[in-house]
Amino acid sequence: MANPTEELVILMTHGADHELSSVAFTIANGGMTAGLKVSVFLTSAAVDLVRKRAVDMTHVEPLEPLPSLISDFLERGGTLWACTPCVKARGYTEEDLIDGVIVTGASPMHERIKAGAATLSF
């Protein structure tokens, strides 16, 4: 039997135009409900998800609206990282992003994985 993990790292590459963004945050929130410490690393188009007002109208039925999923994730203590080069490539600054987003390289994600976190990618 494998050792149980207490952490989950989710890597996201899809933006607001793809239903997997909503699915990923639904699973992230479910992980926290299950008692996991959850971190999400946004890369590529996924960094657009945390630009202020960018997802205000995004809603994939029957899931919760994406802004609510992201807000719930942060309010419950989830860690939300945005890839530094991906943010810069879009011309965004930290002021363009919602509160609670940490702009960083992949090192914090790698540290969590090395420490035994389970991983999912969307």
Side-chain angles (χ1 to χ4, degrees), residues 46-113:
V47 300
D48 296 326
L49 297 171
V50 293
R51 187 174 48 84
K52 291 176 181 171
R53 296 174 301 283
V55 296
D56 286 349
M57 301 302 291
T58 303
H59 189 182
V60 177
E61 296 286 348
L63 303 173
E64 294 293 319
L66 190 51
S68 297
L69 291 169
I70 294 170
S71 175
D72 187 37
F73 177 77
L74 289 169
E75 288 173 8
R76 295 171 66 191
T79 301
L80 187 52
W81 297 307
C83 166
T84 302
C86 302
V87 169
K88 288 181 179 180
R90 285 160 176 73
Y92 302 159
T93 66
E94 289 191 36
E95 292 76 32
D96 295 315
L97 307 179
I98 62 173
D99 291 338
V101 175
I102 302 164
V103 178
T104 185
S107 294
M109 175 183 64
H110 295 148
E111 290 301 318
R112 301 312 330 132
I113 293 168

Side-chain angles (χ1 to χ4, degrees), residues 7-70:
E7 289 193 58
L8 173 63
V9 172
I10 298 176
L11 173 67
M12 294 179 58
T13 60
H14 293 288
D17 63 337
H18 201 289
E19 69 184 83
L20 286 179
S21 299
S22 295
V23 171
F25 275 105
T26 299
I27 290 173
N29 288 329
M32 287 192 290
T33 299
L36 295 171
K37 177 181 176 185
V38 182
S39 302
V40 171
F41 187 77
L42 305 174
T43 187
S44 259
V47 300
D48 296 326
L49 297 171
V50 293
R51 187 174 48 84
K52 291 176 181 171
R53 296 174 301 283
V55 296
D56 286 349
M57 301 302 291
T58 303
H59 189 182
V60 177
E61 296 286 348
L63 303 173
E64 294 293 319
L66 190 51
S68 297
L69 291 169
I70 294 170

